[in-house]
């Protein structure tokens, strides 16, 4: 919510705190990916998404429907990550 309200610095602090408290929580990295996308940092977003998936993020439907990922949905690396973790 902080990210979407434009409070990027507060969102960054909150995500760093969450990562420190729960470094294995894949949701933290998913949110980090969204934060990078809001900032138009494609490579960093895909790096964070990859970590989220490697740590067990398993909500394929959310990834496919989350409008934050619209900007990278056709990106080769995005497709590769999704296909590797959610085979059809």
């Amino acid at each position: 919510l902080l990210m979407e309200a434009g409070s990027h610095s507060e969102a960054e602090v909150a995500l760093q705190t969450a990562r420190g408290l729960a470094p294995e929580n894949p949701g933290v990295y998913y949110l980090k990916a969204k934060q990078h996308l809001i900032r138009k940092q494609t490579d960093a977003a895909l790096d964070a998404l990859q970590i989220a998936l490697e740590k067990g993020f398993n909500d394929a439907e959310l990834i496919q429907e989350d409008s934050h990922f619209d900007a990278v949905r056709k990106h080769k690396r995005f497709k590769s990550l999704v296909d590797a973790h959610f085979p059809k």
Side-chain angles (χ1 to χ4, degrees):
L1 292 173
L2 290 171
M3 291 181 287
E4 293 174 8
S7 302
H8 298 290
S9 60
E10 290 178 43
E12 178 67 30
V13 170
L15 285 172
Q16 286 178 350
T17 300
R19 193 172 16 182
L21 294 171
E24 295 304 313
N25 183 332
V28 172
Y29 297 92
Y30 179 79
L31 292 174
K32 186 74 176 162
K34 289 174 59 162
Q35 181 185 40
H36 286 302
L37 288 169
I38 289 169
R39 292 179 171 177
K40 304 200 183 313
Q41 299 168 333
T42 301
D43 289 336
L46 293 173
D47 289 344
L49 179 61
Q50 181 173 351
I51 293 169
L53 292 168
E54 289 171 353
K55 290 188 179 289
F57 192 84
N58 62 3
D59 194 338
E61 187 174 326
L62 180 59
I63 292 172
Q64 292 297 339
E65 293 178 0
D66 190 331
S67 63
H68 290 98
F69 289 92
D70 288 351
V72 295
R73 214 166 293 290
K74 293 184 180 181
H75 193 284
K76 182 179 177 180
R77 186 169 170 212
F78 176 82
K79 289 180 180 182
S80 176
L81 286 170
V82 171
D83 289 346
H85 290 276
F86 306 108
K88 295 179 182 179

